[in-house]
């Protein structure tokens, strides 16, 4: 899951690559590199370890001219993040340069064979074999050399290839990793994702698996592995580049949190026409849908949590069994699929998640009908499914998913209404009551966003509590140093403490784990709240079904963990209150997410902190509960000085297994 970009034309390639890579940084940010070729066949190659800024800092005050180039931003899979492992990679000579997103699974055997032929390797990456193979097969035609190379590759790839002998050609190829070609006037582009080239062109071609594009500044020819030309459709992008910009916000995450009311409004406007739910690309007949007797939902991470909530929603509306699995488990499990009876629903923001895509293919092979809920238009999962429902959330850049999650939830409610209409499991009265309730959601979300200061205050109080505790530890350190007569030993101890406390925030927060508890339709909300906190603050956090507390997790309770209890007014409200009482009886610290106006839960015997959400039918409350949990995680991350939009070790879309 790296980002690649390429340019050929008359403009300054370096400027265009830098601009493109900046918007792809969310795909990986442990090193970056560019290779630029000028008309006199001179190569400029620059690779830097670390965030993209390290590369751009190096480019300041350097005149890098050239009309052809490829660039890469990396999320390491093979070999640690360093300059040698950064892309672009080259063969024995620097005549063939390659950027790659994906994994070459048979790189080890290819490397051994190439070494026997005298090829020398300078990195630990899987990608480098591609450059060596192209070099080996080159007989004066770069396209043929790449086609032949691809015949040897197992695994997934999106490739950008250039060669010093043909400085007027850029080659792009893909299998199981996304790649698009951008069409300009007298210039053309390649990129992993649309925002990278959107300020330059709106006309694009989505490459499909095993397609290779030969690109000059005026022409794009797409061929299959045998070199046969394929006619491709040009797609016009209609959304704006500003939706992929920060627009004055300090972080994409906050911008995307605050966009949620508009996203939900957009979904409702688009999907509900004259009190009827419509999906334009569902591609499954009413008769086929009526026949469905069970549904299997498959997804990863946040999308999996949306899927779990989808189970509660669809079970209630359709009264048929719904299973939910993480993609990485589903794909290797015995999949029980009954032809024409089982519907597979895949959920994915990016539409490129490797395990979800593999699950799609496995289920398809068994004859299942596949419906996907995707955000990225034209993504692999969207294209390979029988039907797709786009979530209409707009580009989501922050690694921590927020607006895509609530858009997925809303899509499940609408799908529930749509299917229950077909299966006749809902009355007209119920339908109209649900629609009325759903229409309230955008304003309720606005209310939460307007009052987010309260969440910020709680988050920062919690950060202060941590800092206070850290200061206590340092006090202890000072006492220890004073007691040591041997200054060398004292120094050693000081260094040990300093490195401990300056290492991962997770460890620094060791005494302050978070627990998130919810029941019923808000059990998935608890899991999602914990995931949000973990991924951007590195604080250890777990989500549990509140009823499970007594079966183990309650052993964790003392005054240190913060227990976030989702206790909105619902049929399980009383049960939640008794869970909270159990926590308080053990001196626990409780932050309650409660319904506005609930006086009971404000009492000291229940809540140390309270965050209110507007009153809504509890069936729809996950759409609202998500927001304060996202804001809480965000504000703690900001308070701790964490890199909110680019948390360590993560990347936006996981296109490797
Ligand atoms: O693009 P997808 O929805 O398929 O991605 C799934 C997960 O990788 C993703 O939700 C991940 O868990 C996010 N970082 C969560 O914020």
């Amino acid at each position: 899951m790296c980002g690649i970009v390429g340019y050929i034309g008359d403009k300054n390639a370096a400027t265009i690559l830098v601009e493109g890579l900046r918007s792809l940084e969310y795909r990986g940010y442990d090193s970056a590199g560019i290779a630029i070729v000028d008309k006199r066949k001179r190569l400029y190659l620059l690779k830097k370890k670390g965030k993209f800024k390290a590369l751009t800092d190096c480019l300041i005050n350097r005149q890098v001219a050239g009309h052809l180039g490829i660039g890469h931003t990396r999320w390491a899979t093979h070999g640690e993040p360093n300059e040698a492992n950064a892309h672009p990679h080259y063969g024995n000579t620097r005549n063939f340069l390659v950027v790659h997103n994906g994994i070459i699974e048979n790189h080890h055997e290819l490397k051994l064979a190439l070494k026997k032929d005298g090829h020398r390797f300078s990195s630990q990456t899987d990608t480098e074999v591609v450059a060596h193979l192209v070099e080996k097969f080159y007989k004066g035609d770069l396209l043929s050399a790449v086609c032949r190379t691809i015949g040897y590759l197992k695994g997934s790839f999106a490739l950008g290839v250039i060669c010093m002998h043909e400085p007027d050609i850029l080659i792009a190829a893909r299998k199981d990793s996304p790649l698009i070609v951008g069409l300009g006037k007298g210039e053309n582009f390649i990129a992993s994702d649309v925002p990278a080239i959107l300020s330059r062109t709106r006309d694009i071609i989505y490459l499909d698996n095993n397609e290779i594009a030969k690109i000059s500044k005026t022409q794009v020819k797409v061929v299959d592995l045998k070199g046969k030309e394929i006619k491709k459709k040009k797609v016009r992008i209609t959304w704006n580049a500003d939706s992929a910009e920060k627009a004055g916000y300090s972080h994409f995450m906050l911008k995307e949190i605050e966009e949620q009311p508009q996203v939900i409004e957009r979904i409702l406007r688009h999907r509900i026409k004259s009190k009827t739910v419509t999906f334009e690309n569902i591609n499954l007949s009413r008769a086929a849908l009526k026949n469905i007797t069970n549904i299997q939902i498959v997804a990863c991470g946040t999308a999996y949590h949306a899927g779990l909530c989808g189970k509660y929603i669809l079970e209630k509306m359709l009264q048929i069994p719904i299973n939910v699995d993480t993609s990485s488990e589903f794909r290797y499990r015995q999949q029980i699929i009954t032809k024409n009876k089982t519907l597979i629903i895949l959920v994915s923001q990016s539409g490129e998640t490797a395990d979800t895509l593999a699950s799609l293919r496995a289920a398809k092979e068994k004859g299942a009908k596949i419906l996907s809920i995707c955000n990225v238009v034209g993504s692999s999962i969207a294209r390979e499914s029988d039907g797709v429902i786009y979530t209409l959330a707009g580009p989501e850049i922050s690694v921590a998913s927020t607006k895509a999650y609530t858009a997925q939830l809303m899509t499940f409610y609408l799908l529930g209404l749509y299917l229950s209409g077909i299966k006749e499991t809902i009355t007209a009265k119920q339908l109209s009551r649900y629609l009325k309730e759903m229409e309230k959601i955008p304003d309720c979300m606005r209310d939460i966003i307007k009052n987010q200061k309260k969440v910020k205050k709680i988050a920062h109080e919690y950060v202060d509590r941590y800092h206070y505790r850290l200061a206590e530890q340092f006090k202890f350190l000072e006492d220890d140093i004073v007691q040591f007569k041997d200054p060398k030993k004292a120094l050693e101890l000081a260094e040990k403490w300093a490195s401990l406390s300056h290492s991962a925030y997770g460890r620094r927060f060791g005494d302050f784990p978070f627990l998130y508890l919810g029941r019923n339709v808000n059990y998935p909300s608890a899991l999602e709240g914990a995931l949000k906190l973990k991924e951007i603050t590195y604080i250890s956090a777990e989500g549990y079904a509140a009823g499970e507390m007594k079966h183990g997790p309650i052993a964790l309770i003392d005054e240190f963990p913060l227990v976030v209890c989702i206790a909105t007014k619902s049929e399980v409200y009383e049960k939640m209150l008794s869970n909270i009482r159990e926590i308080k009886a053990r001196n626990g610290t409780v932050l309650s997410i409660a319904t506005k106006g609930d006086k009971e839960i404000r009492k000291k015997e229940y809540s140390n902190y309270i965050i209110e959400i507007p009153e809504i039918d509890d069936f729809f409350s996950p759409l609202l509960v998500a927001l304060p949990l996202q804001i809480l995680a965000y504000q703690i991350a900001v308070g701790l000085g964490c890199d909110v939009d680019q948390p360590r070790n993560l990347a936006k879309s996981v296109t490797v297994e």
Side-chain angles (χ1 to χ4, degrees):
M1 48 199 178
C2 308
I4 70 178
V5 62
Y7 175 75
I8 186 158
D10 290 326
K11 300 200 180 109
N12 184 291
T15 310
I16 291 165
L17 295 189
V18 164
E19 188 183 289
L21 287 176
R22 186 167 287 128
S23 73
L24 291 179
E25 215 188 346
Y26 71 90
R27 300 179 70 87
Y29 34 82
D30 58 40
S31 59
I34 53 168
I36 308 278
V37 180
D38 69 12
K39 297 263 188 247
R40 290 162 64 192
K41 293 195 183 179
R42 286 177 308 191
L43 171 71
Y44 178 81
L45 179 66
L46 179 66
K47 310 206 261 186
K48 281 284 155 200
K49 176 186 168 179
K51 297 228 163 135
F52 186 56
K53 192 172 174 307
L55 186 96
T56 50
D57 282 353
C58 252
L59 285 168
I60 296 172
N61 299 329
R62 282 194 207 186
Q63 294 297 326
V64 185
H67 65 288
L68 168 71
I70 48 176
H72 188 270
T73 176
R74 180 170 187 246
W75 184 81
T77 57
H78 293 72
E80 64 177 279
N82 60 26
E83 267 172 39
N85 290 331
H87 299 217
H89 287 286
Y90 43 84
N92 278 345
T93 64
R94 294 187 175 197
N95 285 331
F96 300 89
L97 295 118
V98 172
V99 285
H100 167 222
N101 170 33
I103 287 188
I104 307 301
E105 284 164 6
N106 57 339
H107 70 102
H108 186 63
E109 58 211 78
L110 290 172
K111 200 169 182 175
L112 289 180
L114 283 159
K115 271 186 176 168
K116 276 191 193 147
D117 278 358
H119 286 261
R120 298 174 312 277
F121 285 79
S122 48
S123 79
Q124 301 153 309
T125 64
D126 52 333
T127 305
E128 197 183 344
V129 296
V130 181
H132 284 273
L133 284 173
V134 175
E135 181 176 57
K136 178 181 158 100
F137 295 136
Y138 187 73
K139 302 277 180 296
D141 177 19
L142 185 58
L143 178 65
S144 309
V146 174
C147 283
R148 207 159 155 211
T149 298
I150 287 172
Y152 283 83
L153 304 181
K154 285 194 187 135
S156 59
F157 52 80
L159 295 170
V161 186
I162 58 172
C163 143
M164 301 303 289
H165 307 306
E166 294 180 57
D168 295 319
I169 297 295
L170 164 64
I171 301 285
R174 78 154 277 188
K175 182 180 163 261
D176 295 342
S177 290
L179 194 58
I180 57 167
V181 179
L183 308 170
K185 285 203 177 87
E187 58 182 356
N188 288 309
F189 313 81
I190 62 168
S192 299
D193 199 358
V194 177
I197 51 174
L198 198 54
S199 63
R200 303 278 168 179
T201 180
R202 291 185 164 273
D203 292 327
I204 61 159
I205 289 174
Y206 287 100
L207 288 183
D208 282 304
N209 274 347
N210 296 316
E211 289 182 348
I212 303 143
K214 179 178 178 180
I215 305 163
S216 69
K217 66 179 192 176
T218 51
Q219 265 192 333
V220 175
K221 181 181 171 191
V222 179
V223 297
D224 65 13
L225 289 183
K226 290 185 184 130
K228 192 167 159 251
E229 190 162 355
I230 301 167
K231 288 275 163 247
K232 296 291 290 181
K233 218 170 76 192
K234 184 168 87 179
V235 177
R236 180 108 185 130
I237 301 296
T238 50
W239 46 269
N240 274 338
D242 355 319
S243 34
E245 301 291 334
K246 266 197 234 165
Y249 280 88
S250 43
H251 299 98
F252 277 111
M253 184 177 178
L254 185 60
K255 175 179 176 255
E256 288 161 7
I257 288 174
E258 295 199 4
E259 275 172 7
Q260 288 174 104
Q262 294 100 280
V263 170
I264 298 299
E265 225 157 39
R266 186 188 310 145
I267 298 174
L268 293 174
R269 229 186 11 249
H270 191 88
R271 298 275 175 232
I272 303 173
K273 304 264 152 69
S274 331
K275 296 201 168 180
T276 311
V277 178
T278 54
F279 295 118
E280 59 275 23
N281 297 317
I282 206 157
N283 289 341
L284 294 163
S285 69
R286 291 177 76 84
L289 290 170
K290 198 167 181 144
N291 257 336
I292 298 298
T293 55
N294 65 87
I295 294 178
Q296 169 72 57
I297 300 173
V298 185
C300 297
T302 288
Y304 168 70
H305 297 153
L308 271 179
C309 196
K311 172 184 164 76
Y312 287 85
I313 297 167
L314 298 182
E315 275 180 353
K316 181 169 169 143
M317 289 185 169
L318 306 180
Q319 290 126 46
I320 59 172
I322 319 279
N323 274 318
V324 194
D325 237 327
T326 53
S327 316
S328 52
E329 286 301 313
F330 178 80
R331 63 179 291 193
Y332 296 114
R333 247 183 349 96
Q334 181 64 49
Q335 296 125 16
I336 317 283
I337 289 162
T338 319
K339 219 172 163 189
N340 299 328
K341 298 276 176 208
T342 307
L343 175 67
I344 304 281
I345 301 182
L346 302 170
V347 194
S348 175
Q349 187 285 131
S350 63
E352 301 293 346
T353 301
D355 283 321
T356 312
L357 190 56
S359 299
L360 181 157
R361 291 177 183 153
K364 222 175 181 184
E365 234 167 61
K366 295 207 164 149
K369 288 283 175 222
I370 318 275
L371 177 64
S372 61
I373 296 178
C374 286
N375 193 35
V376 177
V377 176
S379 55
S380 303
I381 293 173
R383 280 178 299 141
E384 291 190 32
S385 302
D386 293 296
V388 55
I389 303 178
Y390 285 118
T391 47
L392 312 174
E396 190 182 65
I397 306 297
S398 161
V399 167
S401 188
T402 54
K403 62 174 180 171
Y405 174 66
T406 44
Q408 287 158 353
L409 293 184
M410 186 45 105
T411 306
F412 270 114
Y413 287 107
L414 291 165
L415 182 62
L417 291 182
Y418 180 80
L419 294 177
S420 56
I422 294 173
K423 287 184 152 296
E424 296 167 22
T425 49
I426 192 172
T427 62
K429 202 167 150 203
Q430 265 172 324
L431 171 73
S432 120
R433 197 171 62 77
Y434 280 155
L435 289 177
K436 237 189 192 159
E437 215 53 25
M438 284 155 89
E439 271 158 24
K440 291 185 197 160
I441 301 288
D443 279 343
C444 293
M445 285 181 160
R446 281 192 186 97
D447 186 85
I448 295 171
I449 289 165
K450 206 174 92 204
N451 294 310
Q452 63 179 299
K453 266 199 189 132
K454 176 89 193 285
V455 187
K456 182 172 174 180
K457 192 166 166 266
I458 295 172
H460 288 215
E461 244 180 85
Y462 210 74
V463 170
D464 287 349
R465 207 175 131 191
Y466 152 70
H467 280 139
Y468 175 74
R469 181 129 172 119
L470 192 71
E472 274 187 335
Q473 284 179 351
F474 273 104
K475 168 89 183 48
F476 166 62
L477 163 68
E478 276 167 23
D479 292 349
D480 255 13
I481 292 177
V482 173
Q483 277 169 32
F484 265 112
K485 300 278 175 297
D486 177 353
K488 217 176 134 206
K489 274 241 166 90
L491 191 68
E492 259 172 36
L493 183 74
E495 276 173 357
K496 193 174 140 214
W497 268 96
S499 77
L500 258 181
S501 54
H502 282 103
S503 63
Y505 273 107
R507 222 175 296 155
R508 291 170 70 176
F509 245 96
D511 290 344
F512 294 86
F514 276 58
L515 287 174
Y516 287 73
L517 304 181
R519 276 177 176 263
N520 200 302
V521 78
N522 276 313
Y523 160 50
S525 309
L527 298 180
E528 175 58 10
L531 175 63
K532 267 323 60 108
L533 190 81
K534 271 188 270 218
E535 64 182 338
I536 58 169
T537 67
Y538 322 139
I539 298 172
S540 124
E542 291 306 328
Y544 286 103
E548 275 292 294
M549 269 301 272
K550 299 184 198 58
H551 302 283
I554 201 158
L556 294 171
I557 302 296
D558 57 18
E559 74 268 38
F560 290 118
L562 183 64
V563 190
V564 181
C565 296
I566 305 166
T568 46
K569 279 285 168 92
S570 70
E571 55 190 6
V572 290
Y573 174 72
E574 290 300 333
K575 306 272 171 230
M576 250 345 269
L577 287 190
S578 51
N579 291 134
I580 295 178
R581 274 196 296 268
E582 288 155 10
I583 296 160
K584 293 295 284 181
R586 283 152 185 91
N587 208 15
T589 311
V590 171
L591 160 58
S592 298
I593 310 287
T595 306
K596 222 177 222 172
D598 179 353
K599 292 206 179 96
E600 184 69 5
I601 203 149
R602 302 196 140 267
K603 293 182 183 158
K604 271 207 186 109
E605 66 219 69
Y606 292 114
S607 309
N608 300 75
Y609 305 96
I610 185 151
I611 298 172
E612 291 181 329
I613 62 160
E615 196 171 353
I616 193 94
D617 179 334
D618 199 60
F619 184 46
F620 297 100
S621 63
L623 283 160
L624 300 186
V625 166
L627 272 67
L629 299 185
Q630 294 164 353
I631 298 167
L632 182 71
Y634 171 78
Q635 288 298 350
I636 294 178
V638 170
L640 291 173
C642 296
D643 192 340
V644 174
D645 283 334
Q646 295 183 341
R648 70 178 181 207
N649 305 341
L650 293 174
K652 181 70 182 158
S653 63
V654 184
T655 54
V656 292
E657 212 186 307

